[in-house]
Every structure is written in structure tokens, then in C-alpha cells.
Amino acid sequence: MSQIIEPIAADPVRVVLPRTLSVALAAACTMQMEGHRWSAQNEAAARTVLTGGGAQMLLSALARRLDRSDPSSTGWALLALPATLGNEELQVVAAGVLAALGRPFNSIRQGGGRMWIGQETTAVKDPASFGGTGGQALHIDAPNVEHVPEYTSLLVLRGDPAGGGVSLLGDLRAAVARLDETDREALREPVFFEGQVENLSGVGAPRMPFPVLEDDQDGQPAWVRWAGKMLRDPRNTGRTAVLERFAAALAQTTVAVTLGRGQLLVIDQRRMAHGRTALGPQQGLADGTRRWIMQAKATFDPAAPAHQVLAGAAAGRRNDA
């Protein structure tokens, strides 16, 4: 088995959303959906607010942290929304932030058609699942489908009062670079399995088996389809050694980030895997006091405001050359 490596505790510079901007997003948008997507009206309203002045620092910060053309960018961003907003207001504002990058959507079908999924942590669920109390191995969401969600996000409505549930972030590209070419070639084989594909929307057809490493038509890395639980999947028996080596490489790139109420973690799934440490002792915690975290996805949209900031900067550099 891979050696357990303690993640490095990160102290990121949080991107603070001014209250005036948050209130403007909450006033302009709602929770209305169109199928599994946030409604086009909401998306347009959010982008009007984001491009109307007062959001330039937010857009620039998102662009810097999530710039796929810059290998030194983090591939994730941590935003601090006003914690005094109500729970529904926080979800609306967070959806508005996602609209700066793409089209917000919910990839998991659920009653009521809500965009944000999640409920208070419970011991009834699988400890390693979303909303469970145990640790969760590094993974990307939905690695086993045709169209992997480009961005995933976590919105904290209530942190763990017992002090656990720290978010983990592992650099997929850096981990791949640590492997030798023999291992990389083995991971390019479309022979790997992960979980089941059930009740999903907006992600295309199931794709199993699949390659862990997937290149684009130009031979450049496109996806690292990874989930730590692949190591325990009996369908991957015989390929455990190379999966273990990749897991060990990924562990060496991992940082830990503690999240509190009103904080939104946005992750580029082409760059980063995410997971969590186990929650603290839950005995004696009353209902309504335990950890409560929500999740939503977003597509990549080059016309979105944050990507337009990057396009403008690139055009400026070309003009200066």
C-alpha cells in the first residue's frame, strides 16, 4: 500500500466578495432552474452584475487562480461570501460566482430540481460519501462519464463544530509528472473502472472502462480521470500497483484547507482532485448543529466574464509584442 503522507496545510488568500456585490447578485438572481441548469435568465442577470462595475477584483482573482494557460496558477479558488447572508442567499450568490466561469448546473438528479445538493452530515450515510462523517479520498467528480464536469464547487453553510472535515486538494498534473513513462502509458489504457453511473444529468453517457490519463487530439493532457476508491474496486484487480503509485504521487502534491461558513471553494477538475479528512467526534452533536456543505457544478464557457478577462489580457500581450 502507498505510504500515508500528511497534506501540507495551506493558508490561501481568500477572495473576499464585497457585501455590496453579494447583495446585488442576491437581488438580481433566484434559485430558478431550467431542467438541471440554473436558468438562462439567472445566468444573464448574474453576468450583468459581474460586468457592470464593482466586480473587477473578483473576476481578476478568479482568472489568475483558474488560468489554464498558466501552469503556475493554483487551479482552485477560495472565496469568502458574507457569512451573515441567509442560506438561500448564499446559494444564489455562489451560483452567480460560478456564472463568472461557465453555466452553473446540478449533475445529480434530485427531488425538487434544486441546483445545490447537500444536507447536514449524518452517520447514516456511507462515511466516505458526500455528506458522510469519514474521510474522503482524493477524486474528481464523475470521472466515469462522457463529459466530466469542468468545475465543481463546495459551499459551506456550517462548518464541523468538532473541528474536522478539512478539505484536501491534490494537483493532478503535478502527480502525473512524477510518474515514469511506463506508468503513464499504463494509465492511458481504457481499462479502469470506478463506481456506478446513476441519476446524473448534463454529463453525457456512462464511460466505463476508461483511461485514467486522457490526451486531447493534439496529444496534450486533457483529463486525469481519478478517484481514490478505484484502488478498492475489484474490477481494477491486476492494475492496483500503478494506481497505488499514482495515488502516492498525488499525495505528495496535496494541501489542506479549512473552510468556514460562507466560504466557496471552486475547483477546476482538469487540474485538481479534492477530498476531505474525517470529521471530528460527532457524538452528542444535536441535529441542526452538524456540518452542512453544498455542491454544484459549472461548465466551461469562454464567453463568461472571468475568461473574458484572460482573453483581454492575452490580446494586450499580443499587441505589446
Side-chain angles (χ1 to χ4, degrees):
M1 297 291 289
S2 299
Q3 180 183 4
I4 297 175
I5 299 174
E6 287 295 322
I8 299 170
D11 185 18
V13 176
R14 290 162 172 80
V15 181
V16 178
L17 261 70
R19 186 173 185 83
T20 52
L21 177 58
S22 300
V23 169
L25 285 169
C29 306
T30 69
M31 297 294 288
Q32 181 181 350
M33 301 286 286
E34 291 174 353
H36 65 280
R37 294 182 181 274
W38 205 34
S39 73
Q41 181 178 350
N42 275 323
E43 180 187 315
R47 292 183 180 183
T48 296
V49 171
L50 293 170
T51 57
Q56 190 59 40
M57 289 184 64
L58 166 66
L59 296 177
S60 296
L62 283 174
R64 286 195 305 273
R65 288 163 172 77
L66 298 168
D67 183 358
R68 290 177 172 175
S69 68
D70 181 1
S72 68
S73 66
T74 60
W76 56 279
L78 182 57
L79 302 101
L81 284 55
T84 55
L85 293 178
N87 289 344
E88 184 165 317
E89 288 178 307
L90 285 172
Q91 293 172 65
V92 171
V93 174
V97 172
L98 293 181
L101 297 164
R103 294 202 66 185
F105 74 101
N106 174 15
S107 65
I108 300 177
R109 299 191 191 105
Q110 57 182 335
R114 303 180 306 277
M115 190 179 84
W116 292 92
I117 66 166
Q119 57 188 12
E120 185 177 49
T121 295
T122 172
V124 174
K125 297 190 71 172
D126 175 356
S129 68
F130 181 67
T133 60
Q136 192 176 46
L138 289 166
H139 64 282
I140 66 170
D141 292 335
N144 51 9
V145 297
E146 184 180 11
H147 304 301
V148 180
E150 299 275 351
Y151 299 104
T152 192
S153 66
L154 300 172
L155 172 64
V156 180
L157 300 183
R158 188 187 306 128
D160 179 17
V166 175
S167 289
L168 304 175
L169 295 157
D171 190 326
L172 294 163
R173 302 291 176 84
V176 170
R178 290 174 179 265
L179 301 178
D180 62 30
E181 187 56 31
T182 299
D183 280 350
R184 288 195 287 267
E185 282 300 318
L187 293 173
R188 289 188 180 102
E189 294 293 323
V191 294
F192 297 95
F193 292 84
E194 189 275 333
Q196 297 178 327
V197 180
E198 299 176 327
N199 299 319
L200 298 184
S201 298
V203 294
R207 186 175 177 191
M208 284 196 288
F210 56 83
V212 172
L213 304 186
E214 184 176 3
D215 295 336
D216 62 21
Q217 59 186 5
D218 297 320
Q220 298 302 310
W223 285 104
V224 182
R225 294 172 177 265
W226 175 254
K229 62 184 180 180
M230 291 167 63
L231 292 164
R232 304 188 304 274
D233 193 316
R235 294 169 295 181
N236 295 322
T237 300
R239 303 179 181 89
T240 304
V242 68
L243 293 174
E244 285 278 4
R245 287 192 290 273
F246 179 77
L250 187 60
Q252 294 174 350
T253 75
T254 300
V255 297
V257 181
T258 301
L259 306 179
R261 175 174 171 80
Q263 294 185 349
L264 174 68
L265 180 61
V266 181
I267 304 159
D268 182 349
Q269 293 216 114
R270 288 186 185 265
R271 298 276 307 279
M272 305 296 293
H274 64 283
R276 70 164 185 268
T277 65
L279 274 64
Q282 301 293 292
Q283 296 87 347
L285 294 179
D287 291 347
T289 66
R290 295 187 295 273
R291 186 179 190 253
W292 186 6
I293 193 165
M294 309 291 282
Q295 183 187 81
K297 310 293 197 301
T299 64
F300 178 93
D301 180 2
H307 300 308
Q308 287 298 297
V309 169
L310 290 173
R317 289 192 296 269
R318 287 194 298 270
N319 290 336
D320 292 339

